[in-house]
Amino acid sequence: MSLAVRSLLLAGLVLAGSAAANQAQAAVTPVPVGQPLARFDNLKPGAHRYLRFKQTGETVRVADVWTREVRFEDQDGQRRLHIVQHWDGVGATPSDRQLDSWFEVGTFRPLTHIRRTQKDGVAKVEGYDFKPDRIVGLKDLEGNAAKDFEVASPQPSFNFETDMEFVQALPLAAGYEASIVFTHPGGGPPAPYLFKVAGSEVLDLPGGGKVDCWVVTTDYNHPEMGVTRFWFAKTGQVMIKQISPLPDGSGVLGKTLLY
């Protein structure tokens, strides 16, 4: 084989490797804020309730019941997506945390987020306004403990407090990977997170029956803490179950759909 032919073959291998690397990189789909989501219509008005638990070895302790309700309502003359959440403690303990979040229909672009908590008899309210380049405290919200909050958002961000409904609106399929910029309102600056469809699994439902699910994973940018797994029903993409490792490695935190 001549030197010229060898050089051509080597160049071809380098180009092929570069193309494969580019294809692998291109396999991750960025999900920018403001563009219509492929399966936004999966979101239907109504409530889902999840049992939250902690499992260490064979010991399972129930934490609370988490209600997440999807609404479509008018706000300032426009139809909006409205998601409200609250937690009910075991033993009829009054809810001590409530979230109220508004979004643009079709794109899931966050508009505002209000968090109300009560601990040791002390009530607290925090409200946030999502702007294109920053997230700030709601100035007109009475008693807002976060009225002076401000964090830069070089990229517009989605609201991490509604990730379950957000992922429900993505085009989940075998091999799908999405890079999503999220932030917890009141927390640090937004950052991109990778969510992957790692496979599929048929789950047995507690009341009988089965549901075919996509298994979605993320490490929340902390691979040292392990991977969180979500099971989303292939039909309608409602989240059925979530399992997250505890930071100390002693067990897992879980959520499972009640109804």
Side-chain angles (χ1 to χ4, degrees):
M1 184 182 295
S2 69
L3 180 59
V5 172
R6 288 178 182 173
S7 297
L8 287 172
L9 286 174
L10 180 58
L13 288 172
V14 170
L15 288 172
S18 176
N22 288 336
Q23 288 175 357
Q25 187 175 12
V28 177
T29 302
V31 185
V33 175
Q35 292 190 7
L37 298 183
R39 297 181 184 164
F40 188 86
D41 287 347
N42 277 339
L43 295 172
K44 308 296 184 187
H48 291 101
R49 290 176 174 82
Y50 293 87
L51 181 72
R52 296 203 310 158
F53 62 89
K54 177 180 177 180
Q55 181 170 355
T56 304
E58 297 299 318
T59 302
V60 178
R61 291 186 172 86
V62 173
D64 51 32
V65 174
W66 188 356
T67 300
R68 305 171 71 104
E69 184 179 358
V70 171
R71 305 172 182 172
F72 289 92
E73 299 173 336
D74 288 337
Q75 183 190 55
D76 299 329
Q78 296 189 58
R79 185 170 178 264
R80 303 291 194 196
L81 168 64
H82 187 195
I83 297 178
V84 294
Q85 307 176 52
H86 70 268
W87 287 254
D88 292 305
V90 177
T93 302
S95 173
D96 62 0
R97 188 171 186 229
Q98 301 179 19
L99 305 181
D100 188 294
S101 313
W102 290 86
F103 307 86
E104 185 176 68
V105 169
T107 68
F108 228 115
R109 180 174 69 88
L111 302 172
T112 60
H113 179 84
I114 296 175
R115 180 187 302 116
R116 299 181 187 277
T117 57
Q118 186 165 351
K119 185 175 182 179
D120 299 327
V122 178
K124 183 178 182 181
V125 59
E126 303 159 88
Y128 305 93
D129 183 6
F130 282 76
K131 296 183 178 298
D133 60 347
R134 65 196 191 282
I135 300 159
V136 300
L138 283 168
K139 304 301 183 186
D140 297 332
L141 178 64
E142 184 177 355
N144 185 11
K147 67 179 180 179
D148 296 323
F149 177 85
E150 181 170 341
V151 65
S153 182
Q155 301 178 71
S157 172
F158 291 105
N159 184 347
F160 228 151
E161 297 275 21
T162 55
D163 58 338
M164 288 159 54
E165 291 80 10
F166 181 85
V167 174
Q168 185 184 356
L170 297 180
L172 302 182
Y176 178 75
E177 299 185 14
S179 176
I180 307 161
V181 176
F182 274 126
T183 187
H184 276 101
Y193 295 82
L194 186 63
F195 284 72
K196 304 179 182 181
V197 176
S200 62
E201 184 178 342
V202 177
L203 290 182
D204 293 318
L205 297 177
K210 299 178 182 295
V211 58
D212 195 8
C213 297
W214 293 117
V215 181
V216 177
T217 63
T218 185
D219 64 10
Y220 291 113
N221 296 344
H222 287 282
E224 74 282 359
M225 294 176 61
V227 171
T228 290
R229 288 176 169 79
F230 306 83
W231 286 257
F232 287 88
K234 290 185 178 179
T235 300
Q237 296 187 179
V238 171
M239 197 195 83
I240 306 298
K241 185 172 76 169
Q242 176 185 341
I243 296 294
S244 302
L246 288 169
D248 62 3
S250 63
V252 299
L253 293 172
K255 305 183 188 79
T256 185
L257 181 65
L258 295 174
Y259 58 91

